[in-house]
Amino acid sequence: MSDDNRTLPYPAADSEHPTLVIPGEGNGADAEVGRPRRRRRWPWVLLIVVVVLALLAVAAELVARAVLPGIVRSIVIEQLDLPADQELEVTADGILIPQLLGGSLDRLHLTTDSVTLEGITGAADVTATGVPLRGGDLGGASGTIRIDESQFTALLDGTDLPIETVTLETPNATVAGSVTVLGIAIPVSLTVTPGIAEGDLELTPVGLTIGGLEVDADQVGASLGNLGERLTETQRICIADQLPAGILLTGLAVDGSEAVIDVDVDGRIATDESLLEKGVCP
């Protein structure tokens, strides 16, 4: 081939001869560069729905906690025939909405500084379990009742002890009165440790004074006969006839100037009216 017909080289690209791009041609990636991407909104929508549902659940829980105590208080006052203005604090454990939907409360606490049941007045703190919302027996209930010296004295009405006054001081109770010997009234003071035995009140003597002098139990038994024996022996006093039949005493201890009584409540008391009436002593 001669030099007169040689092939000339293709001119190099420069700013004076830019390369043109034909519209519609090129790979897919280049086409996506100029196209705006659509944002995915569904995660935000889902988040908003979850937040709204959570707020509704919280609101429902708050409403339930605000309304439930008043409803329970009204039912208790009606069932126990308490005064309309009876102070009674009601609280429930756990999340209420699932319990309300299930028709039963797991645990319900009832507290009051002063309530009168069958003539006995004291502060009560009771916890009920398995509380049905549509009627029925309780799963169970237990708690404590705190009574002062005057109320404790009333519980001792069924004893033969000469009782005029009762003084409570941890852990004992001291009953004071007088006995008549040969026509002479002699002051007697008996210190006992109170407790509960099979539902009865139990008094265990720990000290005795006669005429202001501390005496030996054996001497009292010999000099006062049957009365002396009663003063120095452990006594059991049935007080079932002073309490609702559905309440069983399980323990008693003196705390300062008060007696703290542990009680167990029969779950049928919610449906059996006879358990709200006074019990019977054998």
Side-chain angles (χ1 to χ4, degrees):
M1 183 179 294
S2 65
D3 293 338
D4 294 336
N5 296 313
R6 66 180 183 272
T7 303
L8 298 177
Y10 191 83
D14 55 25
S15 60
E16 295 181 0
H17 303 88
T19 301
L20 298 178
V21 178
I22 299 175
E25 295 185 359
N27 56 34
D30 293 337
E32 290 293 336
V33 172
R35 182 184 302 171
R37 294 183 178 180
R38 176 177 294 179
R39 295 182 178 179
R40 296 180 178 179
R41 297 182 179 180
W42 67 266
W44 294 101
V45 174
L46 179 60
L47 178 60
I48 292 174
V49 171
V50 171
V51 171
V52 170
L53 291 177
L55 291 176
L56 290 176
V58 171
E61 180 72 14
L62 293 176
V63 171
R65 289 194 174 278
V67 174
L68 181 65
I71 296 176
V72 174
R73 177 183 176 278
S74 299
I75 294 175
V76 173
I77 287 177
E78 179 181 357
Q79 291 292 326
L80 299 183
D81 195 23
L82 300 175
D85 59 350
Q86 172 68 50
E87 294 183 2
L88 185 64
E89 182 177 348
V90 180
T91 57
D93 288 351
I95 301 176
L96 292 183
I97 297 302
Q99 299 179 53
L100 295 177
L101 294 176
S104 177
L105 298 178
D106 295 337
R107 292 171 65 88
L108 195 65
H109 303 278
L110 306 175
T111 58
T112 179
D113 291 335
S114 180
V115 63
T116 300
L117 293 175
E118 299 297 342
I120 302 298
T121 301
D125 186 340
V126 177
T127 298
T129 59
V131 182
L133 299 177
R134 300 180 181 90
D137 297 340
L138 299 174
S142 61
T144 60
I145 299 175
R146 303 179 71 95
I147 60 176
D148 60 17
E149 294 172 342
S150 63
Q151 296 299 311
F152 187 78
T153 302
L155 291 179
L156 302 181
D157 284 344
T159 179
D160 294 331
L161 296 176
I163 299 175
E164 297 175 2
T165 62
V166 176
T167 303
L168 299 178
E169 184 177 356
T170 309
N172 299 319
T174 300
V175 298
S178 61
V179 296
T180 301
V181 179
L182 301 177
I184 302 175
I186 302 176
V188 175
S189 177
L190 177 65
T191 300
V192 298
T193 300
I196 297 296
E198 299 179 348
D200 294 339
L201 179 61
E202 186 176 66
L203 304 177
T204 302
V206 294
L208 176 65
T209 62
I210 297 180
L213 299 176
E214 187 173 351
V215 297
D216 182 83
D218 294 335
Q219 296 176 350
V220 174
S223 60
L224 297 182
N226 292 335
L227 176 59
E229 292 180 359
R230 291 199 302 271
L231 289 176
T232 56
E233 291 180 349
T234 297
Q235 294 200 24
R236 288 181 58 171
I237 306 168
C238 176
I239 58 175
D241 57 350
Q242 300 184 54
L243 298 171
I247 296 180
L248 175 66
L249 305 187
T250 59
L252 187 153
V254 175
D255 182 15
S257 60
E258 294 180 320
V260 182
I261 304 173
D262 298 324
V263 299
D264 186 54
V265 183
D266 191 325
R268 297 173 300 168
I269 199 170
T271 57
D272 189 346
E273 294 185 359
S274 66
L275 295 178
L276 293 172
E277 300 176 357
K278 286 186 177 181
V280 177
C281 287

